[in-house]
Amino acid sequence: MRRQGLGADIKVVTGTRRAPLRLIAKVAGAAALVVAFATSASAQSGSDFLNTIDPLFSGVLAHPGNLDNTIQYAASAAAHGDIESAISTYEQLRFYNPKLGTTRYQLGVLYYQLGSYAQARGYLQTALEMPDVTPGLRQKIEDLLALADKKLQPDQFSGFAQTGLRYQSNASLGAGSQTVLASGGTINSAFLARPDWNWFGTVGVNYVHDFQTQTGETFEASVLAYDA
């Protein structure tokens, strides 16, 4: 027995999308890091205060010029989802050495994760101009820059396709061979459970238009088609 079905689902959504979070961290030196904790530290001695916070961060406070320690703290903050702290730390690195291409690349990555694509694009473009950029890093910067450019386009398309084969031990949803009717008879063998193979396929397309307003208004439409 062969069954075939065809269907489509269309959805249109209009609404307001929250504008991307834009962080502005222009000057973040060692003094700014200390001031951020000045209130809580005032009731403790200096050594007690450093013992209550992350060891990497205490190293940043004690030795703000230590490049390796600051990089480790920034990477650790980003890995634990504290993107704001990571951005502030990388901004500190950029303040001490504005010609570090890796620092600008990391800032581009973090702003991209926050959805602040214009800010990310600015850092990535300037990163390409830095003298320490290696061929491998340049490729990463260019790849992420291309993604940021796509995100900044007012019209965006995305989609997916899925296909495969499926085996069912009871494709006909029939009764078992031993089923007995109330009258005492048995079910016709033509209506008993039968195994079968079948092919299925699904295709989805999504369209988003960003009106590029301050309130973040967008128009979204999606189409889903399936066959089996």
Side-chain angles (χ1 to χ4, degrees):
M1 180 180 296
R2 181 176 181 273
R3 298 186 299 160
Q4 184 175 6
L6 176 65
D9 181 26
I10 302 176
K11 180 177 67 175
V12 177
V13 179
T14 58
T16 301
R17 182 175 59 189
R18 180 178 296 178
L21 176 63
R22 300 186 179 277
L23 299 177
I24 305 300
K26 294 300 182 182
V27 180
L33 294 175
V34 176
V35 170
F37 291 89
T39 302
S40 59
S42 60
Q44 309 175 53
S45 67
S47 59
D48 291 340
F49 172 63
L50 294 180
N51 289 332
T52 60
I53 59 178
D54 188 277
L56 287 175
F57 183 67
S58 65
V60 173
L61 293 179
H63 307 285
N66 189 321
L67 183 63
D68 292 337
N69 187 78
T70 306
I71 291 177
Q72 290 180 25
Y73 172 73
S76 176
H80 287 82
D82 191 355
I83 297 180
E84 291 82 358
S85 294
I87 287 178
S88 298
T89 307
Y90 280 119
E91 287 285 3
Q92 175 189 340
L93 290 173
R94 191 173 68 89
F95 175 79
Y96 281 110
N97 192 338
K99 294 186 178 182
L100 288 177
T102 304
T103 299
R104 293 177 180 270
Y105 167 70
Q106 293 297 340
L107 284 168
V109 171
L110 294 170
Y111 277 110
Y112 184 90
Q113 293 176 353
L114 287 177
S116 198
Y117 305 116
Q119 192 82 354
R121 189 177 189 276
Y123 279 111
L124 294 171
Q125 282 185 318
T126 57
L128 291 174
E129 303 171 1
M130 298 298 104
D132 66 329
V133 175
T134 62
L137 180 58
R138 179 176 295 275
Q139 186 61 53
K140 291 181 180 180
I141 294 173
E142 292 176 348
D143 291 343
L144 186 57
L145 189 58
L147 293 177
D149 287 337
K150 289 182 180 180
K151 290 294 186 179
L152 290 171
Q153 296 297 321
D155 298 296
Q156 299 180 31
F157 292 89
S158 61
F160 71 93
Q162 181 182 18
T163 186
L165 295 174
R166 177 174 56 186
Y167 174 78
Q168 300 179 86
S169 59
N170 188 3
S172 60
L173 299 179
S177 59
Q178 302 300 321
T179 302
V180 179
L181 298 174
S183 61
T186 58
I187 296 178
N188 189 311
S189 61
F191 301 102
L192 295 179
R194 295 175 181 272
D196 196 8
W197 290 85
N198 79 301
W199 167 87
F200 66 92
T202 304
V203 177
V205 178
N206 187 64
Y207 166 74
V208 178
H209 175 75
D210 190 345
F211 293 100
Q212 297 184 331
T213 60
Q214 292 295 328
T215 54
E217 294 176 344
T218 61
F219 171 84
E220 299 184 22
S222 60
V223 177
L224 178 66
Y226 49 89
D227 186 24

